[in-house]
Amino acid sequence: RQAAIGSSGRESMSNVTIDWCEENYAVSEHIAEFWNTVTSFFTIFPSILWFLQTAPIGSGAIPWLHLLCVLISAGSVTFHGTLTW
């Protein structure tokens, strides 16, 4: 693990070797990549809504793909928020 230090001077233990899209801890001292975390968080809700709309119809695998999208979005929130995997 390597120590990542953001603009706030906060040190965080990260096991990510590549600095991705934005400066770490620039907006919040608690969230590593703030905007990536926020946008990933909001992608969870459409998938839940689509699941709730398609599950009663019984359209095969499609509703479960929406739940898979929820899982991927939750993983993205966790990754960008903590920079650990």
Side-chain angles (χ1 to χ4, degrees):
R1 293 184 130 185
Q2 68 184 35
I5 300 176
S7 63
S8 66
R10 181 178 186 271
E11 182 178 332
S12 170
M13 295 309 286
S14 172
N15 60 6
V16 177
T17 57
I18 299 172
D19 195 14
W20 296 95
C21 304
E22 60 185 285
E23 187 177 347
N24 301 336
Y25 301 101
V27 177
S28 170
E29 67 179 54
H30 302 289
I31 301 173
E33 294 178 343
F34 184 80
W35 294 112
N36 286 334
T37 303
V38 169
T39 55
S40 293
F41 180 75
F42 284 114
T43 61
I44 292 172
F45 300 110
S47 296
I48 291 173
L49 234 124
W50 293 327
F51 172 77
L52 294 174
Q53 289 178 347
T54 57
I57 298 171
S59 50
I62 299 299
W64 304 108
L65 291 175
H66 295 307
L67 286 184
L68 182 60
C69 288
V70 170
L71 182 65
I72 291 169
S73 295
S76 182
V77 167
T78 304
F79 173 75
H80 288 292
T82 63
L83 287 182
T84 56
W85 54 279

